[in-house]
Amino acid sequence: MTGIRSTFLKTVVSLVLGIVMGVLTYYVTVLAVTAPFPSNLTINPLTLAMSAIVGALAVAIGWHRPLVGLTAGIVIIAVVAWAVTWAATGRIVYSPANATGMSPFNAVAFGAVSVAPIFVGATMATVSALRLHSPRTGS
């Protein structure tokens, strides 16, 4: 009975942590992509570097904690789907002018006009699903 309770508790904690991680990763992704770096380039190299770091961390989380990563990836994809639906009806609008303060509401709307959050969410979910599906080895 103790083993079942312990497994259930670990699963619940992983799911809750995954939800929190998904929301946090979504917001950090938006911050990384919209960081205001002065540049004459279309996309600043620092923005690309920050996006790569967020992507690498998403893969690391999904690989080392697959249930957390899978839940976080699903949360990110769900937030983007919700944002696209609300943007299509005109209920939320992304404004680049408000991007300097990065209000959470503007960050959610950013998911409807950018592919960055959906890429990170899909990557987390895919890596986690592959890790959960792969046969366990001795390590």
Side-chain angles (χ1 to χ4, degrees), residues 4-5 10 29 49 52 59 61 71 74 84 86 89 98 105 109 115 126 133:
I4 294 172
R5 185 175 293 158
K10 286 180 183 179
T29 302
V59 169
I61 291 167
T71 306
I74 291 170
V84 168
W86 275 50
T89 61
N98 295 340
F105 299 109
V115 298
T126 303
H133 183 18

Side-chain angles (χ1 to χ4, degrees), residues 20-30 54 58 61 72 76 120-121 124:
V20 171
M21 187 64 62
V23 171
L24 183 64
T25 304
Y26 183 95
Y27 190 66
V28 169
T29 302
V30 173
V54 170
I61 291 167
I76 292 169
V120 171
M124 282 182 96

Side-chain angles (χ1 to χ4, degrees), residues 19-108:
I19 292 169
V20 171
M21 187 64 62
V23 171
L24 183 64
T25 304
Y26 183 95
Y27 190 66
V28 169
T29 302
V30 173
L31 287 177
V33 174
T34 60
F37 294 119
S39 176
N40 292 335
L41 303 171
T42 303
I43 299 175
N44 191 306
L46 289 175
T47 301
L48 291 174
M50 288 174 44
S51 301
I53 290 169
V54 170
L57 289 173
V59 169
I61 291 167
W63 188 257
H64 291 291
R65 299 283 182 239
L67 188 55
V68 172
L70 183 62
T71 306
I74 291 170
V75 165
I76 292 169
I77 292 168
V79 169
V80 170
W82 176 79
V84 168
T85 303
W86 275 50
T89 61
R91 293 181 182 162
I92 61 172
V93 177
Y94 174 71
S95 171
N98 295 340
T100 56
M102 275 319 303
S103 74
F105 299 109
N106 208 28
V108 169

